[in-house]
Each structure stands twice: as C-alpha cells, then as structure tokens.
C-alpha cells in the first residue's frame, strides 16, 4: 500500500530533483542555484512529512484504496460489459439489458466528400447550441454557432416548453444569420444526447432523461416529432432530417478527417460511446440488410451497472452520489466517470477525511456553520479537479485558490497535497474505467488500425485524463491492434450536419434514379 509520503516523494520531490540535475548538467552555476533551491525547499517538506503521523497516512490510504482498480479488476469489468452489450443487442434479452445498444440507422461514415449547408441543434447539457455548418469541398468545414442557456426551470419543467425554447433559439439564430430566403428549404440535424430508441434516422423515442434533465411528458415520445411541431408553429421552412447522439456526431466528424474512425466517445457532463457494428451481430436490427452490412450502435454505456453488475467496485461515495441524484439507481457507470459527478465524489471524500480528523486538522471547528461551498452538494465543481491537478511542485497555488474559494481559509501544505491526492485517485479511476470500456470496443472491432473520435470537457480540460486512459488501454487491447485517440472538434454539431448531408445526398441520388423513370418536380434544398 503506498502512503502519502510516497506520493509526495514521487510527485513532488522527484521532479524537483530531476530539474536540479538537468540544470547541473547544463551549467554548473545554474545547477548550484537549483541545488540550493532544492535544499531550501527540502527541510520544509521533510518537516511536514516527519510531522505527519504515518498512521494518519495509512488511514487516508485505506479510504482511497477503494477507488483503485488494478488491471485484473478492469479485465473482469470488460467481460461484464461485453456480456451486457450482447444482452442489449439480442431481441430476446434487450428489455432487461442495462446497456441498450441502440442501432442508430447511420450506416455510412462520412468520407469527406459531403458538401452543403445544414442547420444543426445540439442539446446535451445545460448549454444548447444552434449551428450553421457549411461543408465545403476537400473536407473543409465552416461553422457559425450561437450558444443559449437552458434555464433550470426548463430542464425540470414541461417537455413542450423545452421544445418551444429550442425553436425560439433557432428562430433567433436564423434571423441573425439572415436565413430566411423565401422558398428555400433548410434541412436540420438534431444532436440530442440522451438515450433514445431510434425507429429511423428521424424518429427516436426518449427512453429516460439523464444529466439532470427531468422534463415531463417526453419519455416514450418521439422527440423529432416534438421538435418539428415546435418548429412548424414558428412558420420557418426547416425540416429535421436526422437525430443523432453526440457520440455518433463525434464519430462522423472524426471520420470526415480520419478514415479509420470507427468509435465515437464522449467524456463530458455525461459519458457514452458508439461504434460501427456488423449487422449480423445486431439482433435488434429491423432495417434492410443491403450493403453496407453495418450500423453505428449507440451503446448508452452510462447505464452499465444499473442492474448491480458494478456493485463490487462501487464505493460508499459512489452510492451517496447516486442516492442524492435526480435519477437514483440509473447511469451507474456514468456516475463513476463523468464530469457531472466527479467533483461531488471528491467533495464527499474530503468531508469523510475531515470527519475522521485526517484533513484540515485542528481547523474543522472554524467551518462549523456549514455555509461554506465545501458543505454544499455540488459545491466542488469538476473543473476544480482539473485545476487542482495542474499544480506541479510544492507551491500548490491553484489548489490553495480552489480551497480558499471553497471556504477553507488557510490550507496547509499537507492539506493541499492530500486534496490533490484525492483528485488524482478519483480522476484516474474514471480514466481507467473509460479506458476499459474503450478497450472492449477496440478488441471487438479487431481491425489492424482503429481511430477513436473523442470529445467532451473532461477529456479536453483535465490535465491527465487522456494520458491515464491511453496508458490503461495499451495494457488491455490485443497487441496486434494499433489505436489512435483523436480529439474531434465540434463533433456533435458537425457530425449531425454530416449525417444530414449524407442522408439528403442519398435521397437525392435515389430520387434522381427514380426521376429518370418518372419526372417529378424537385424541391430546392440547401444541401
Ligand atoms: C446520455 C448519452 C450521451 C452522454 C454524453 C449520457 O448521459 O445518456 O446519450 O451520449 O450522456 O453526452
């Protein structure tokens, strides 16, 4: 079992020493200065460490040990996930599956030849975006977008109000962009990042809300119909042609640039993955079996564990986060990984250590009024985890700032080191769980070269998530597969537009071939 002493040795003293040594090799004067600097820092460190009771360190480690998942645990989780995937794909067992594995009706990945102008709506969290995507020749994309906020009252209110709000924002954006030419028909792609049972490219029933949304009257309804109704009431010439999950958008947008892309991953407020599956493995598929015999499957892996399959690795902090959420018992895997919950897990561990008198020692009485953010549910944002983990060395300036914002007035060096240590353990577990999930997909696709398109704030802004995840995947994937993880910029918006473009183009080419037999009047389209 490692102790806080080892952690501080590894993470702080070693880089400091290394820096001193490099400097010594380069120039003896700078080297001497670095050495003196190190010497100056050393006694303080050593004193703090010496002052800390090793038994306290052991007790901190006992709490954090529950978060550590070795490769063997991850391999076992991978097996469970693969079983769940098969359960979701089989019509006989789909109803009881955690991981629903919804076929998306997207069967071709973008190839860079798609062109045209498409509107897109991107709803997946508290921010909502309207985009105008211009797909130009040679894979060039020009994009204009506007962000709107979804107020809490709408997130938790009546569903019809949500769709009215989306339509209002769309009208506002179209006015701004002067998209009101009479007679022009504007195709629209809707990125709707919640679990949906799709019945076609433009038909999808919401199965449950996630990420804090609870709008009434939408579950089991066709969200494309609800959106279209709200749009039609505005008298604008916009037709929703495709609904895509953000993972699918991310896969499509990445494939536009990188042809080996076959997985889309989101690590943001929520988490989920999709991948290209062969039709003979998708028992629930009810479309045609023409070429290409494949379809993108939206896994909805956030729900893995809903039927208690992950109980053996969940901690009491995970249970607490779940119980106080708006959807207890749901999205268990997501709650161990994604940005909506990570900060809260850290906060609960901090409180636990405070209660055991292992952190902010001797200061807890100062915080007795329970009004400081540290005591408020959701008060420790996930972005703070990233901020704390960007600190390298012994100054802990970011960590201090975060703790002060949380209401801890004078955190000591030890307090900062321990809080950073908690953050590292929580984010590393999340990265390793996501890595194990990806490894299942990479092994299942089993092609010599695989690109994973990824997007989301956690992946983008956390300083080590990417590194920890990649390191873990390397140990878990078959050695013959080369994989690459590629950040997919604006994937969820561009991907929806690409899906629309591909759909409209294929309809036009179908129409063209039937037009040859029976001439018909063509509608002017913006694609
Ligand atoms: C949703 C998914 C979505 C993911 C990432 C989850 O909560 O269920 O549909 O892809 O968040 O946004």
């Amino acid at each position: 079992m490692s102790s806080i002493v080892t952690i501080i040795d590894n993470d702080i003293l070693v880089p400091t020493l290394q820096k001193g040594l490099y400097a010594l090799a380069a120039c003896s004067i700078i080297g001497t200065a670095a050495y003196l600097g190190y010497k100056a820092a050393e006694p303080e460190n050593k004193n703090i460490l010496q002052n800390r009771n090793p038994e306290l360190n052991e007790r901190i480690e006992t709490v954090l040990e529950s978060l550590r998942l070795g490769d063997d645990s991850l391999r076992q989780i991978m097996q469970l996930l693969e079983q769940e995937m098969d359960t979701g794909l089989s019509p006989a067992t789909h109803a009881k599956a955690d991981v629903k594995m919804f076929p998306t009706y997207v069967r071709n990945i973008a190839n860079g030849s798609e062109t045209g102008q498409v509107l897109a709506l991107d709803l997946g969290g508290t921010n909502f975006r309207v985009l105008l995507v211009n797909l130009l020749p040679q894979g060039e994309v020009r994009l204009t977008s506007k962000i709107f906020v979804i107020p809490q009252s709408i997130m938790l209110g009546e569903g019809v109000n949500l769709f009215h709000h989306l339509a209002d924002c769309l009208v506002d954006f179209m006015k701004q962009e002067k998209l009101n030419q009479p007679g022009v028909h504007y195709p629209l792609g809707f990125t709707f990042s919640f679990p949906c049972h799709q019945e076609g490219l433009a038909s999808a029933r919401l199965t449950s809300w996630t990420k804090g949304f609870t709008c009434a009257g939408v579950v089991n309804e066709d969200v494309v119909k609800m959106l279209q109704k709200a749009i039609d009431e505005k008298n604008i010439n916009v037709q929703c042609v495709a609904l895509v999950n953000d993972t699918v958008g991310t896969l499509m947008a990445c494939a536009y640039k990188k042809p080996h892309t076959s997985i889309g991953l989101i690590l943001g407020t929520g988490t989920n993955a999709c991948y290209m599956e062969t039709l003979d493995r998708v028992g629930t598929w009810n479309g045609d079996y023409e070429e290409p015999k494949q379809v993108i499957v939206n896994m909805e892996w956030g729900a893995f564990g809903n039927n208690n399959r992950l109980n053996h690795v969940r901690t009491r902090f995970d249970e607490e986060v779940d119980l106080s959420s708006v959807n207890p018992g749901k999205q268990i895997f997501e709650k161990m990984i994604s940005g909506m919950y990570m900060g809260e897990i850290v906060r609960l561990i901090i409180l636990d250590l405070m209660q055991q008198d292992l952190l902010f020692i001797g200061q807890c009485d100062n915080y007795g009024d329970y009004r400081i953010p540290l005591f408020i549910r959701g008060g420790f944002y996930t972005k703070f985890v990233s901020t704390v983990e960007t600190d390298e060395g012994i100054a802990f300036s970011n960590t201090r700032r975060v703790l002060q914002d949380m209401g801890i007035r004078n955190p000591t060096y030890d307090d900062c080191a321990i809080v950073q240590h908690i953050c590292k353990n929580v984010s590393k577990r999340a990265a390793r769980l996501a890595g194990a999930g990806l490894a299942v997909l990479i092994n299942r696709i089993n092609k010599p070269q695989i690109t994973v398109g990824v997007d989301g704030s956690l992946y983008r802004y956390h300083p080590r998530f990417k590194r920890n995840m990649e390191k873990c995947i390397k140990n878990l994937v078959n050695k013959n597969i080369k994989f690459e993880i590629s950040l997919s910029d604006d994937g969820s918006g561009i991907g929806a537009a690409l899906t629309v473009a591909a759909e409209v183009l294929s309809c036009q080419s179908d129409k063209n071939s039937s037009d040859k037999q029976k001439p018909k009047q063509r509608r002017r389209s913006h694609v």
Side-chain angles (χ1 to χ4, degrees):
M1 189 185 287
S2 61
S3 73
I4 201 89
V5 178
T6 337
I7 296 343
I8 291 168
D9 271 342
N10 286 343
D11 289 3
I12 297 161
L13 292 181
V14 171
T16 313
L17 260 171
Q18 273 174 348
K19 278 176 200 159
L21 286 171
Y22 290 147
L24 259 170
C27 165
S28 65
I29 298 170
I30 298 174
T32 312
Y35 176 75
L36 288 175
Y38 164 67
K39 271 294 173 201
E42 187 192 42
E44 197 197 341
N45 267 336
K46 283 260 160 80
N47 280 342
I48 288 169
L49 300 180
Q50 273 158 13
N51 286 345
R52 275 199 73 83
N53 179 338
E55 193 212 327
L56 300 189
N57 294 340
E58 281 291 302
R59 283 173 55 203
I60 293 174
E61 289 309 304
T62 310
V63 173
L64 296 180
E65 194 57 38
S66 59
L67 294 163
R68 299 198 181 114
L69 298 170
D71 284 354
D72 287 343
S73 298
L74 292 183
R75 285 201 185 88
Q76 194 204 2
I77 292 171
M78 286 169 68
Q79 267 180 12
L80 292 174
L81 178 59
E82 188 137 29
Q83 282 163 16
E84 276 300 314
M85 288 167 64
D86 290 331
T87 310
L89 287 170
S90 154
T93 49
H94 175 84
K96 62 170 193 183
D98 284 353
V99 181
K100 288 295 182 197
M101 308 292 286
F102 295 119
T104 62
Y105 292 83
V106 179
R107 299 184 52 188
N108 286 299
I109 58 166
N111 62 15
S113 71
E114 296 78 1
T115 53
Q117 194 182 41
V118 181
L119 281 167
L121 302 184
D122 180 6
L123 176 72
T126 44
N127 283 336
F128 160 66
R129 280 200 317 164
V130 185
L131 305 95
L132 178 66
V133 184
N134 256 311
L135 304 167
L136 302 165
Q138 263 111 47
E140 198 192 329
V141 181
R142 282 215 199 114
L143 192 141
T144 331
S145 71
K146 188 166 177 186
I147 296 183
F148 299 86
V149 170
I150 305 283
Q152 246 336 71
S153 57
I154 288 194
M155 278 174 77
L156 308 177
E158 285 296 321
V160 279
N161 295 341
L162 170 71
F163 291 100
H164 282 145
H165 181 64
L166 302 190
D168 283 340
C169 299
L170 176 62
V171 169
D172 177 301
F173 178 80
M174 289 178 75
K175 274 194 190 134
Q176 175 192 302
E177 294 301 314
K178 307 204 173 23
L179 298 174
N180 46 9
Q181 296 171 39
V184 178
H185 160 85
Y186 295 94
L188 174 131
F190 185 21
T191 306
F192 183 73
S193 306
F194 300 94
C196 285
H197 178 101
Q198 287 201 236
E199 289 158 358
L201 197 55
S203 168
R205 285 184 195 279
L206 177 72
T207 58
S208 57
W209 283 115
T210 59
K211 296 178 283 194
F213 278 70
T214 59
C215 302
V218 191
V219 171
N220 292 329
E221 297 298 323
D222 185 330
V223 287
V224 177
K225 278 207 180 106
M226 290 187 84
L227 174 71
Q228 193 62 53
K229 186 160 179 279
I231 290 176
D232 291 346
E233 284 169 16
K234 300 281 169 200
N235 285 320
I236 45 176
N237 207 358
V238 175
Q239 184 72 39
C240 180
V241 178
L243 175 141
V244 294
N245 186 263
D246 51 358
T247 54
V248 178
T250 300
L251 189 160
M252 290 292 270
C254 190
Y256 196 55
K257 304 249 146 96
K258 304 197 170 200
H260 294 292
T261 309
S262 38
I263 299 174
L265 169 70
I266 297 286
L267 291 159
T269 310
T271 182
N272 187 16
C274 73
Y275 71 106
M276 187 61 89
E277 183 58 287
T278 49
L279 282 185
D280 56 11
R281 284 170 128 175
V282 187
T284 50
W285 176 245
N286 60 8
D288 69 61
Y289 282 83
E290 316 268 289
E291 290 292 342
K293 294 188 190 307
Q294 57 178 19
V295 65
I296 296 181
V297 170
N298 167 18
M299 293 179 69
E300 289 296 335
W301 80 9
F304 180 32
N306 287 9
N307 286 327
N308 303 325
R309 307 273 261 162
L310 292 174
N311 283 5
H312 62 295
V313 288
R314 288 175 77 207
T315 65
R316 58 199 153 95
F317 309 109
D318 297 309
E319 281 161 16
E320 214 173 317
V321 163
D322 178 44
L323 285 176
S324 57
S325 68
V326 293
N327 53 352
K330 301 276 183 321
Q331 299 297 104
I332 296 300
F333 195 51
E334 174 162 278
K335 285 172 181 162
M336 296 170 85
I337 295 176
S338 78
M340 179 141 184
Y341 309 97
M342 186 180 285
E344 182 62 3
I345 299 177
V346 168
R347 190 186 75 91
L348 292 174
I349 300 176
I350 293 178
L351 293 187
D352 186 76
L353 296 188
M354 281 172 80
Q355 241 161 27
Q356 296 190 50
D357 216 5
L358 296 169
L359 182 58
F360 312 134
I361 298 171
Q363 290 198 61
C364 295
D365 288 350
N366 297 342
Y367 309 124
D369 68 4
Y370 292 101
R371 275 178 300 185
I372 59 169
L374 186 62
F375 290 121
I376 295 169
R377 178 144 48 89
F380 197 102
Y381 302 136
T382 297
K383 66 177 181 199
F384 295 162
V385 178
S386 297
T387 311
V388 165
E389 288 195 49
T390 46
D391 271 336
E392 279 173 20
I394 54 175
F396 284 120
S397 51
N398 288 316
T399 309
R400 262 176 226 288
R401 196 160 27 85
V402 165
L403 287 177
Q404 273 155 6
D405 288 352
M406 299 298 300
I408 305 295
R409 276 184 293 272
N410 291 310
T412 64
Y413 169 88
D414 255 16
D415 292 335
C416 293
I418 294 167
V419 167
Q420 190 186 62
H421 187 44
I422 298 171
C423 291
K424 282 183 176 173
N425 275 273
V426 173
S427 68
K428 189 170 184 183
R429 180 186 69 156
R432 287 175 62 77
L433 283 170
L438 264 192
V440 171
L441 297 186
I442 293 172
N443 289 341
R444 187 170 172 112
I445 295 169
N446 200 19
K447 289 195 177 146
Q449 213 173 331
I450 295 174
T451 302
V452 181
V454 53
D455 204 353
S457 48
L458 186 58
Y459 182 83
R460 243 170 222 280
Y461 304 120
H462 188 282
R464 344 184 125 64
F465 203 96
K466 177 178 163 51
R467 210 185 320 146
N468 283 335
M469 187 170 83
E470 272 183 19
K471 214 165 129 192
C472 152
I473 300 175
K474 278 196 187 120
N475 288 339
L476 300 174
V477 293
N478 302 340
K479 297 292 168 247
N480 56 325
I481 307 176
K482 269 204 202 134
F483 72 92
E484 175 202 18
I485 301 190
S486 170
L487 184 67
S488 172
D489 273 320
D490 275 316
S492 42
I494 296 174
L498 284 168
T499 313
V500 168
E503 170 67 7
V504 174
L505 286 175
S506 92
C507 286
Q508 282 179 348
S509 73
D510 287 355
K511 220 166 165 205
N512 280 346
S513 42
S514 70
D515 280 355
K516 281 190 190 136
Q517 293 149 11
K518 186 162 94 119
K520 263 192 226 148
Q521 219 188 338
R522 298 277 300 275
R523 215 166 30 171
R524 263 177 83 201
S525 161
H526 240 258
V527 163

